[in-house]
Every structure is written in structure tokens, then in C-alpha cells.
Amino acid sequence: MGGYLLKRLALLAPTVFAIILINFTLVQFVPGGPIEQIISKITVGNISTTSNITGGGDIGADVGAADALADSYGVDPELLKDLEKQFGFDKPLHERFFSMLAGYLVFDFGTSYFQDVPVLELILERLPVSMSLGLWALLLIYGVSIPLGVRKAVRDGTRFDVATSSLIFVGYAVPGFLFAIFLLVIFAGGGYFEIFPLRGLVSENWSNLSWPDKILDYLWHLCLPLIALTIGGFATLTMLTKNSFLEELGKQFVLTARSKGLNENQVLYGHVFRNAMLVVIAGFPSAFVAILFTGSLLIEIIFSIDGMGLLIYDAIIKRDYPIMFGNVYVLTLVGLFMHLVSDLIYVFVDPRIDFETR
């Protein structure tokens, strides 16, 4: 296993390099860069006029684009040159790219274009919020789906199986953001009940509360976002668990275990569970990354939660490249790390698995 881990760690650097290079290259062709955003605000307010701009999202890469922009808006060319120098667009593309990589080696992501705050500080501030939301969502989804999937496999074809399948697929069909709006309208003062708070994960006076009250306040704010985030996540994992158990229950070793006089729980959790859970474990890394960085995006917007999803969304809208690339870097590292953790869990669940022989 040690050799396999060394190989995976050795592949981290080229994988991260390729992902950052692809994203950096694509951004150069996206219209409406940060300079265009500033000029647009100066000349016509907050109205986006990027459709009239020739050139990519990186004005500093094309002097002709800068001249076209100056002619289009009647902006002083000297102002454009100052803006290019401020954002570092006066340097060649390759120089900016490798300078960015050098900073990433020491987790220096630069400073936000529009917030004038180090990107690392923003990420460290927002990451715990999204992690707490994502971890709670995963615990709830796995805590409900695995026992439910096992029970559905044991009672396959019964009324219980049909009824629970109907419920979880209805939840899967309802978009999470739509269900979040429904919860806000019904339970957060939208005209019916005012049981739960409307926004955030803690109250404004949270720092002044005692520790028991802080925990209760956090859980109180967590209820609606967590329900909205997990409502569609039960179906896939539940059916995956059920089908995995059904496949294992039909194998010869199950008949052998029952013939030896083992009860149903010993058969299910002593023999079947370990084999059936391998497929479920394989989906853990992607589920964690999806919930942490993408699945919670709309939920964070609707509930005004200052997490990573909302940070990335704002950065894309404003073309705040340091935040965009910094989050891509962190997301890539987390994703690769979680896949490595998944392989370790594979071996822990079933020691017969040996990745070094693959």
C-alpha cells in the first residue's frame, strides 16, 4: 500500500498543474474581465456592456483590445494602462501563469481585485462554513440512506419498499433550491409560521451567548438549509445500497452462512455488509466535494450563508480571478485528497484489496 500511496502523491503535482493550466487558458477567452467591469461601472454604472468589447476577458493580453475599449467608451488610455499595471495584465501570459503557480506552492493566492483582502484569508473564513454544512449533510444522507437501503433490500417488493421508493424519488425530483424557497415561505416568516431564522448560520448576538446556547442557536439556523440540501440526496444512495445488498444476498456465501445457523443480523452485518458497502464507499469523495462546493451554492445564496459556494459565485460574476483560481486550486486538492482517502477506506473495509497489484 505504501508504494501505491507514493504513486498517487507523485501524480498530484501534474494533475493540479493541468487543471490550473486549462482553467487559466479558458479564462483568457471569456469576455468581460475585471478591467471591463470597472470601466463599465465608471461609464454606464453597473450595467454590463461586455457584448460591445472585442477581445477576451484578459484585456492585458491584447493591446488592440485595450485600444478598442478606450475608443468604445471614450476612456483615457493612460487610465487603462494604470489599470492593467494594477491587475498585473501588463505582463506576458506565461509570466503571470508561472508567477501564480509559484505563489500557490506556499498557498499565496494573491489579493482579491474588488475586496482588497488576501484570497487565503477569504477562503479560510468561508471554508469552515461550507464544511460544516457539507459534513452535516453527508452525515444525514448516509445515516438515513444506508439503514433504509438495507431494510429495503431485506423487504424487497413489499409495501414498505414501494412506499419508501415513492417518497425518496419525489424528494429527488424536487429541486433543492425550490424546496428551500418553500421552507422559507412556510417556516421562516413568509406569511405562515416564524419558527426558523431567515438567513445565516448563527444569530447576530451569537458571540455573546453561552456555549450551550451557541450550539442550540447553530442547530436552529442549520435546520432549513440542511433539509433543503439533503432532500434530493437520499434516492441515489438508498437505491445504491439496496441494489448492492440484493446482489450480495444472492451469492453462495450467504446460503452457506445461513446453513451454519447464523441469524439474519449476523448474515447481513457480519458477511454481506462489508462487501456491499464497497460500492457505497466509492461514491463518498465525489459526494463530499459536490455537496461542499457545488451542491450548496444555491442553498447558500437563498439562505444568505457566507460559504465557499457564494464566494465562488460572486468571484465568477465579478471576474475576480485570484478568488476564482484560488478556489479551483483548493477544490482540486480537496477532491484529490478525498479520492485518496476513499482508497484507504477500501482497504480498511476489505483488507483483501491490494492496489499495488493493479
Side-chain angles (χ1 to χ4, degrees):
M1 191 65 182
Y4 173 76
L5 289 177
L6 291 177
K7 292 178 183 178
R8 289 291 298 270
L9 292 175
L11 287 174
L12 284 178
T15 303
V16 174
F17 176 83
I19 292 174
I20 294 178
L21 177 61
I22 292 172
N23 282 273
F24 183 84
T25 303
L26 290 176
V27 164
Q28 310 312 314
F29 299 97
V30 177
I35 293 182
E36 287 93 329
Q37 299 276 346
I38 293 176
I39 297 300
S40 178
K41 291 180 180 180
I42 292 175
T43 56
V44 292
N46 291 325
I47 301 174
S48 176
T49 55
T50 57
S51 59
N52 298 324
I53 298 172
T54 58
D58 197 343
I59 189 172
D62 188 352
V63 178
D67 294 337
L69 184 63
D71 295 338
S72 178
Y73 291 103
V75 179
D76 186 358
E78 293 298 326
L79 173 60
L80 290 179
K81 292 180 181 179
D82 290 341
L83 290 175
E84 291 173 6
K85 186 175 182 180
Q86 176 183 346
F87 290 118
F89 293 163
D90 56 332
K91 300 177 182 178
L93 284 176
H94 68 277
E95 183 178 338
R96 288 168 26 221
F97 176 72
F98 286 106
S99 176
M100 181 180 69
L101 286 182
Y104 283 8
L105 293 176
V106 292
F107 287 88
D108 180 8
F109 306 127
T111 303
S112 169
Y113 287 161
F114 301 100
Q115 300 186 47
D116 197 26
V117 178
V119 174
L120 182 60
E121 182 179 327
L122 291 173
I123 293 177
L124 293 178
E125 178 184 344
R126 303 291 188 93
L127 186 59
V129 177
S130 293
M131 286 190 65
S132 64
L133 190 61
L135 288 175
W136 278 113
L138 275 182
L139 288 175
L140 182 60
I141 291 174
Y142 272 75
V144 172
S145 297
I146 292 178
L148 180 60
V150 173
R151 185 52 52 188
K152 285 173 64 64
V154 174
R155 303 179 62 178
D156 183 40
T158 63
R159 291 183 178 180
F160 172 81
D161 182 34
V162 175
T164 52
S165 294
S166 301
L167 288 175
I168 62 175
F169 279 115
V170 167
Y172 182 76
V174 178
F177 72 92
L178 185 62
F179 192 71
I181 296 174
F182 170 79
L183 293 175
L184 285 176
V185 172
I186 300 298
F187 299 107
Y192 295 90
F193 305 100
E194 294 187 22
I195 301 175
F196 296 99
L198 184 63
R199 62 189 306 275
L201 279 182
V202 293
S203 301
E204 294 182 358
N205 64 336
W206 188 80
S207 59
N208 298 326
L209 300 176
S210 62
W211 276 109
D213 290 335
K214 285 183 178 180
I215 296 174
L216 291 176
D217 182 77
Y218 170 71
L219 295 177
W220 180 47
H221 283 75
L222 186 67
C223 285
L224 295 187
L226 187 60
I227 293 173
L229 186 60
T230 58
I231 190 66
F234 296 112
T236 302
L237 187 59
T238 300
M239 299 309 297
L240 180 62
T241 303
K242 175 190 173 182
N243 293 333
S244 297
F245 265 80
L246 284 176
E247 181 180 354
E248 295 298 323
L249 286 172
K251 293 184 177 179
Q252 184 64 39
F253 75 90
V254 176
L255 297 176
T256 303
R258 285 172 174 167
S259 66
K260 292 181 178 180
L262 299 180
N263 59 44
E264 195 65 17
N265 286 334
Q266 289 176 320
V267 173
L268 285 177
Y269 299 104
H271 293 75
V272 176
F273 187 83
R274 173 175 293 181
N275 293 332
M277 283 299 98
L278 289 176
V279 178
V280 177
I281 291 172
F284 179 83
S286 58
F288 178 80
V289 174
I291 290 178
L292 185 58
F293 293 101
T294 58
S296 62
L297 171 59
L298 291 176
I299 302 301
E300 290 181 3
I301 294 175
I302 293 172
F303 290 96
S304 300
I305 299 173
D306 292 329
M308 290 285 286
L310 191 57
L311 178 65
I312 296 172
Y313 174 78
D314 289 338
I316 293 174
I317 295 298
K318 297 178 180 178
R319 302 297 194 272
D320 200 335
Y321 295 152
I323 294 181
M324 290 170 56
F325 293 132
N327 279 284
V328 168
Y329 183 73
V330 172
L331 173 61
T332 301
L333 290 181
V334 172
L336 294 174
F337 174 76
M338 290 307 301
H339 280 286
L340 187 59
V341 170
S342 175
D343 291 343
L344 296 178
I345 296 176
Y346 262 128
V347 177
F348 176 77
V349 174
D350 191 348
R352 296 172 298 175
I353 296 177
D354 185 5
F355 288 102
E356 292 186 355
T357 59
R358 294 177 56 183

